[in-house]
Amino acid sequence: MRQIILDTETTGLEPSDGHRIIEVGCVELIDRRPSNNHFHQYINPQRDIEDGALEVHGISSEFLQDKPVFADIVDDLLEFVDGAELIIHNAPFDIGFLDWELSLLDREDRMSDHVSVLDTLELARDLHPGQRNSLDALCKRYDVDNSSRKLHGALLDAEILADVYLIMTGGQTDLGLSFQADEPVDHEAGDLALDERPALLVLTASPQEIAAHEARVQAIHEKSGHCLWNDI
């Protein structure tokens, strides 16, 4: 299973107002594991950047002057993502801009011709209704380190979203296998005899807990098309 975590930065909020993509960042997952393969490109939008957008990502027009235009990188981008499932936070925004860029090149294809898309914002809203589900909020909820995210950046945000997505769809990540003794261990005393050890407490799930678990697994499967619990 090949998935691509994708993010973009733009000159403004609306492609219908003539705004353009200025950065694309992609991180590849193979069978839910980072492959260390990525795509990252700054793009000259050939137009000014709105002040509000500049405050968000900090990418200036001067910095982009010597960068390639979208037409120069589109084939490499589509080759990288082709056939994969795109994982995007607020997918309509990024897909809308990518489709806009394709239309400006008089191309007949759109992103849906190359990829399928999973919107992690919609997934988060289903899992956490009524709560804040921005990327920063999800980082706090899932204890993902985003301390380096002073400004938005397409590749950095894609890397952070990859961590969030894997935790959000993978269930428990801390298996509790680490051991910390309350007292220093006396290695010379040897192991405790079996009859000196406390009985192992085994807790079974209640019917209500089992039903809640099955409902969560089904919700994840319907959203992402795959859930590891179904393979167990």
Side-chain angles (χ1 to χ4, degrees):
M1 179 173 61
R2 183 171 184 264
Q3 297 169 301
I4 301 294
I5 315 295
L6 180 143
D7 189 62
T8 64
E9 299 300 336
T10 64
T11 62
L13 293 177
E14 292 292 339
S16 59
D17 292 335
H19 287 294
R20 307 287 301 274
I21 293 175
I22 60 173
E23 184 187 11
V24 178
C26 301
V27 174
E28 182 185 59
L29 303 179
I30 301 294
D31 294 332
R32 293 179 56 83
R33 295 180 182 274
S35 69
N36 296 322
N37 189 21
H38 70 273
F39 178 93
H40 181 227
Q41 183 64 63
Y42 290 106
I43 299 164
N44 184 346
Q46 299 177 299
R47 60 152 293 154
D48 293 335
I49 299 172
E50 282 194 345
D51 291 341
L54 182 61
E55 291 177 2
V56 170
H57 51 61
I59 303 172
S60 68
S61 297
E62 291 75 18
F63 173 78
L64 298 173
Q65 283 300 310
D66 62 346
K67 302 303 184 288
V69 297
F70 190 83
D72 293 334
I73 66 97
V74 61
D75 289 335
D76 290 340
L77 172 62
L78 292 179
E79 181 180 0
F80 185 83
V81 304
D82 191 53
E85 178 184 47
L86 290 190
I87 311 295
I88 306 175
H89 202 66
N90 191 19
F93 178 87
D94 300 88
I95 294 298
F97 265 97
L98 289 166
D99 282 346
W100 171 245
E101 293 285 356
L102 291 174
S103 71
L104 293 178
L105 299 176
D106 294 327
R107 295 177 59 127
E108 295 183 358
D109 59 334
R110 296 295 180 263
M111 293 304 296
S112 59
D113 297 316
H114 301 274
V115 297
S116 60
V117 178
L118 171 66
D119 188 350
T120 51
L121 178 58
E122 290 299 319
L123 178 58
R125 286 170 175 168
D126 287 343
L127 296 175
H128 311 290
Q131 301 183 50
R132 295 180 62 248
N133 290 300
S134 66
L135 185 55
D136 284 335
L138 292 176
C139 286
K140 183 176 181 180
R141 184 173 302 141
Y142 293 119
D143 197 25
V144 172
D145 183 11
N146 67 339
S147 57
S148 59
R149 193 182 190 235
K150 305 304 181 185
L151 292 170
H152 288 222
L155 185 59
L156 174 61
D157 286 0
E159 292 172 342
I160 292 173
L161 180 58
D163 290 337
V164 168
Y165 167 74
L166 291 173
I167 296 174
M168 184 164 58
T169 59
Q172 183 177 359
T173 58
D174 182 1
L175 299 180
L177 299 180
S178 60
F179 173 79
Q180 292 182 341
D182 295 330
E183 301 277 343
V185 177
D186 184 0
H187 295 284
E188 297 180 0
D191 294 333
L192 290 175
L194 289 177
D195 58 2
E196 294 177 335
R197 297 176 183 176
L200 181 63
L201 179 63
V202 178
L203 297 177
T204 58
S206 68
Q208 293 83 1
E209 290 171 328
I210 293 174
H213 168 75
E214 291 176 347
R216 175 60 60 85
V217 169
Q218 182 62 27
I220 293 173
H221 180 79
E222 290 176 355
K223 274 294 178 181
S224 66
H226 181 75
C227 179
L228 290 181
W229 278 104
N230 289 334
D231 297 335
I232 298 176

